[in-house]
Amino acid sequence: MNQKIDQLAADNIRTLAISMVEKANSGHPGGAMGGADFMHILYTEYLNFDPTEMDWPFRDRFFMDAGHLSALMYSQYYLLGNYKKEDLQQFRQWGSVTPGHPEIDVLRGIENTSGPLGQGHAMGVGAAIAAKFLDARFKGLFEHKIYGYITDGGVQEEISQGAGRIAGHLGLNNFIMFYDSNDVQLSSMTDEVTSENTAMKYEAWGWKVITIDGHDHTQIRKALTEANEESERPTLIIGKTIMGKGCVTATGAMYEGECELHGKPIGDTKADYIKTLINLKANPEDPFAIFEEVATQYTKILAQKTAAIANRKVQIASWKKENPALSLKLESFLSGEIPDLDLSSVVQKPNIATREASSIVLAYLAENVENMIVSSADLSNSDKTDGFLKKSSVLKKNDFSGAFLQAGVAELTMTSIANGIALHGGVIPVVATFFVFSDYMKPAIRLAAIQELPVKYVWTHDSFRVGEDGPTHQPIEQEAQIRLMEKIKNHSGNRSLLALRPADAIETSVAWDMALRNSKTPTALILSRQNIQDIPAHGTSRYEEATSSSKGGYLVKSTQNPDITLIANGSEVATLLAAATLLEKEKNLKINVASIISEGLLKEQSKSYQESVIPKGKLVFGLTAGLPVNLEGLIGDVGKVIGLDHFGYSAPASVLDEKFGFTSTQVSKEILKYIEETK
């Protein structure tokens, strides 16, 4: 180590960060200046990675929570050679690889998309869980560390409660988090917001806590060394830092620790940008330069890291040679491929709730998919993920041989952790709760969609038929909200989420097959609490017919030249089939019925296929237990949708069906009324 070079490198990071913000006239310079010392020491002396293969699966990982500190990350990675000067100069500009908040870009060192505070470190906890899970199956290969970086805002976000509790409970000693504690927030000082003892809080959750001067390189090293040696607990390093470290005014007077340095260019504050550059030993004529001595030092560091990883790669290659069967399994896990599955062989009971059908599939998956972690928000016996749990065991401190994560009542934390599991790689995450509580999960669902993560959501109790629990537990608007995600494209140009609401048990098996094969986006399975009548098979195989769900929708009842087509998804399909039987018998109508498991997926099919399911210009009647908007995009100019435009009430499900007009008899009357209106 060289104290002079280390200080120069940290100051170089500071100058680059403030120059990026200054040129963009947008960003957050002060926190980046405060965190520069820790980042330099971490990346040069502790973080193990391969500079020539940034996505090497056995690397240490760094998860940024405070996405507004992207300039800190880009500056550090510029020193490592992952960015060019031009990239930093295009900070926050159209088409730039240096967006305002970091977006996943593993080959440049960005492990996660962050910005909404709190989620980044929860993703880090998820990655640590994934590493523990994999190490339990491949001893000695996944002993790497997961580092997190959090600020006052992230600590204050409620998600930190869940992440801190779960990490401590599981004894994630492979998770090390730096808390940049600078007493400054975006619009106030922290003492105006909180007076809690953060160290005591984390200690109560079972963490090792070390408090240091975040600018003292010796103390940083000592804390990181202790954290790496810890065998029982996650570690929180509270680094007392100074917002805008190194800033000076036009007269050269120090101007540090001020709130205004947080969220706007240095030149727009009482500090002076040029004088600050000079104070930090930068050349104002070339503010994006890497200092010559720093460049020389980083060249040496990169060579050392490459050599160290080469030795580790030799060890792993030797392990693979000695363990050929495990090696094949490892490659399978890391490739993201699913094993050969035959969900048509899963025997479903007749006329059951789709949550129970899902439970039967999950029991099969527990025995046939070895790299799946299922989690439930204290509802496994109600959302029926206990089908998986009964064939597995719970993840515990010092024992990650199981595959079920008891998250407790923490939907947002659980979902963010699942994102981290997916980001780590090698493990398939599944999370479950009641559909109405997807509201608690939305921020993490959105980040999963943006990051294109194949997380699977199991949402049960999917309609007002939850019944006696009343309006707080009866999802009315939730399906419409989730279906909006099917309308949004991700940056790869694909539908950002796949939402599946199966119509019966067999369709649930098919939906699970679709979810497992969807490796590019999150998938939601929306399942019933109440029993549903099975959809009759036209031929010999109901499963084979239900595989048409892969096109988003298909006819479950078909006749030539129908008078009307009825469309729905979930339990309403069975209601329409019953109504169709009544109308055919009593009114001699010819009726088609379609199950539309995914509106977004159906709209991706050819026009000819879509019109084979829902004829254009013909009578179309839709039924939904949620907002009518769910199906309105499918019915054309003359169609009609019956749904709900109000919250539910507390009563048995059968009573609510009657009161809300969802019995087959009532629906048949609405269909007749619609037909009469269109004559």
Side-chain angles (χ1 to χ4, degrees), residues 330-625:
L330 173 63
E331 293 305 316
S332 173
F333 285 12
L334 295 177
S335 72
E337 296 177 1
I338 60 170
D340 290 331
L341 301 172
D342 181 11
L343 294 189
S344 68
S345 69
V346 175
V347 179
Q348 295 287 5
K349 299 175 185 177
N351 307 319
I352 59 174
T354 51
R355 64 167 175 161
E356 187 175 347
S358 173
S359 180
I360 293 169
V361 174
L362 282 167
Y364 171 85
L365 296 179
E367 295 180 325
N368 290 277
V369 181
E370 296 181 65
N371 63 326
M372 178 179 284
I373 292 178
V374 175
S375 185
S376 175
D378 193 40
L379 289 168
S380 59
N381 55 344
S382 289
D383 59 34
K384 296 301 179 182
T385 49
D386 59 357
F388 187 94
L389 177 56
K390 289 171 183 176
K391 299 286 187 177
S392 182
S393 59
V394 174
L395 299 175
K396 301 175 183 176
K397 181 178 181 179
N398 297 323
D399 182 5
F400 282 75
S401 60
F404 196 93
L405 172 61
Q406 293 284 23
V409 186
E411 290 87 354
L412 175 56
T413 302
M414 173 183 72
T415 313
S416 288
I417 282 174
N419 288 348
I421 291 171
L423 286 168
H424 181 280
V427 186
I428 301 168
V430 178
V431 294
T433 187
F434 291 176
F435 192 27
V436 76
F437 300 141
S438 64
D439 286 347
Y440 285 127
M441 303 162 68
K442 293 280 171 53
I445 295 167
R446 188 169 189 270
L447 280 192
I450 289 173
Q451 294 177 100
E452 305 179 19
L453 303 177
V455 181
K456 322 301 178 189
Y457 308 119
V458 175
W459 289 321
T460 66
H461 298 60
D462 69 347
S463 73
F464 64 81
R465 299 179 186 92
V466 172
E468 293 87 344
D469 280 338
T472 62
H473 281 53
Q474 294 173 20
I476 303 300
E477 74 278 19
Q478 278 70 25
E479 185 179 353
Q481 294 170 351
I482 290 301
R483 295 287 180 199
L484 287 175
M485 298 300 294
E486 287 197 315
K487 301 177 187 295
I488 300 173
K489 285 185 167 56
N490 56 35
H491 284 175
S492 294
N494 299 316
R495 173 184 15 85
S496 72
L497 180 141
L498 176 63
L500 305 172
R501 188 169 179 242
D504 68 356
I506 296 300
E507 216 173 271
T508 303
S509 293
V510 172
W512 260 112
D513 187 70
M514 293 168 66
L516 290 166
R517 295 179 190 282
N518 180 22
S519 61
K520 295 182 178 179
T521 71
T523 305
L525 289 91
I526 305 169
L527 308 171
S528 75
R529 178 203 186 202
Q530 82 285 357
N531 292 342
I532 301 174
Q533 287 293 312
D534 289 335
I535 307 300
H538 299 310
T540 58
S541 173
R542 167 68 185 128
Y543 188 93
E544 185 63 30
E545 291 164 8
T547 58
S548 293
S549 296
S550 64
K551 296 180 179 179
Y554 66 106
L555 293 174
V556 295
K557 181 182 180 304
S558 177
T559 186
Q560 292 294 319
N561 301 314
D563 297 309
I564 188 171
T565 298
L566 311 180
I567 66 172
N569 58 38
S571 52
E572 289 84 86
V573 176
T575 303
L576 289 180
L577 283 169
T581 299
L582 287 173
L583 292 170
E584 287 177 331
K585 181 179 180 180
E586 298 175 3
K587 301 297 180 180
N588 200 32
L589 291 171
K590 298 173 70 176
I591 300 174
N592 280 359
V593 180
S595 173
I596 312 298
I597 193 170
S598 166
E599 295 178 37
L601 190 53
L602 178 61
K603 287 184 176 180
E604 291 179 0
Q605 307 307 312
S606 67
K607 287 293 183 183
S608 61
Y609 180 79
Q610 291 183 51
E611 291 178 13
S612 73
V613 178
I614 306 174
K616 187 175 182 180
K618 303 286 187 172
L619 297 185
V620 181
F621 179 93
L623 182 67
T624 173

Side-chain angles (χ1 to χ4, degrees), residues 464 474 476-477 625 627-628 643-649 659-660 662:
F464 64 81
Q474 294 173 20
I476 303 300
E477 74 278 19
L627 294 173
L644 289 183
D645 61 359
H646 57 79
F647 293 119
Y649 294 87
K659 295 293 185 182
F660 295 163
F662 276 76

Side-chain angles (χ1 to χ4, degrees), residues 37 83 198 255 323 521 607 648 654 658:
D37 298 287
Y83 289 92
T198 302
Y255 188 75
N323 300 276
T521 71
K607 287 293 183 183
S654 59
E658 183 75 32

Side-chain angles (χ1 to χ4, degrees), residues 20 22 46 54 85 93 102 108 237 254 315 325 376 480 496 538 642:
M20 292 169 69
E22 202 73 20
Y46 289 87
M54 292 297 292
K85 178 187 286 189
Q93 304 308 302
R108 288 189 175 89
I237 300 171
M254 297 305 299
Q315 296 171 0
S376 175
S496 72
H538 299 310
I642 296 294

